[in-house]
Amino acid sequence: KQWYQRRVRGRLRAQVPDIEKTLEIVKHMLKKNEEFQTHFMLSDQVHALATVPPTEKVFLWLGANVMLEYTIDEAIALLTKNLNTATVNADQLEDDLGYLSNQITTMEVNMARVYNWDFKRRKAAADK
């Protein structure tokens, strides 16, 4: 279970900056409401220059190869909600990992105590 939580923690840590960056871009589009130029990635090593006209709608990747169209206000609301959820989940996961680590340490100490107790018991029985 711990390896799974660490994997999820890594995914959440990567997800939060992506959401923040997307939210920043959408807010910029709302504030400026004018044409601007940007670079976007076509593939890992290929970027292209694009001119983005003023728009009232944006497309957001939701995952699993799903993209939906939102108004800028809806996109800001959705991204803000997703950012808050991801932050809360990351914080909760950190707490869970800390608790789990403490429990593992406690279990290991208890196992060592039981082993030492059994060793002393066997040694005393062998000495008789």
Side-chain angles (χ1 to χ4, degrees):
K1 182 172 175 160
Q2 192 174 12
W3 65 268
Y4 175 75
Q5 286 182 326
R6 289 184 194 274
R7 193 176 84 200
V8 171
R9 178 176 57 179
R11 185 173 46 90
L12 284 174
R13 282 186 179 165
Q15 188 179 30
V16 169
D18 288 344
I19 295 172
E20 288 173 339
K21 186 170 142 185
T22 303
L23 184 58
E24 180 184 327
I25 291 167
V26 173
K27 285 181 178 179
H28 174 77
M29 290 176 72
L30 177 65
K31 186 175 86 174
K32 291 293 184 180
N33 202 20
E34 61 187 33
E35 186 175 283
F36 65 94
Q37 287 191 339
T38 185
H39 289 87
F40 67 96
M41 186 170 62
L42 294 174
S43 68
D44 288 338
Q45 302 296 323
V46 180
H47 290 75
L49 182 65
T51 301
V52 180
T55 182
E56 295 296 319
K57 301 200 183 263
V58 295
F59 290 86
L60 298 177
W61 284 107
L62 299 181
N65 293 326
V66 175
M67 179 185 272
L68 289 179
E69 179 182 23
Y70 292 95
T71 65
I72 290 181
D73 293 331
E74 290 172 337
I76 289 173
L78 177 70
L79 290 168
T80 302
K81 183 183 125 225
N82 288 353
L83 179 60
N84 291 338
T85 301
T87 303
V88 167
N89 287 346
D91 293 342
Q92 181 63 44
L93 188 59
E94 288 295 326
D95 292 344
D96 290 349
L97 283 173
Y99 175 77
L100 185 60
S101 177
N102 287 339
Q103 293 301 306
I104 289 171
T105 301
T106 301
M107 183 189 66
E108 288 172 347
V109 167
N110 288 334
M111 286 174 56
R113 287 179 179 166
V114 169
Y115 176 81
N116 290 339
W117 171 80
D118 186 51
F119 181 80
K120 287 177 184 177
R121 184 183 59 88
R122 288 182 187 194
K123 186 174 181 184
D127 289 343
K128 286 186 181 180

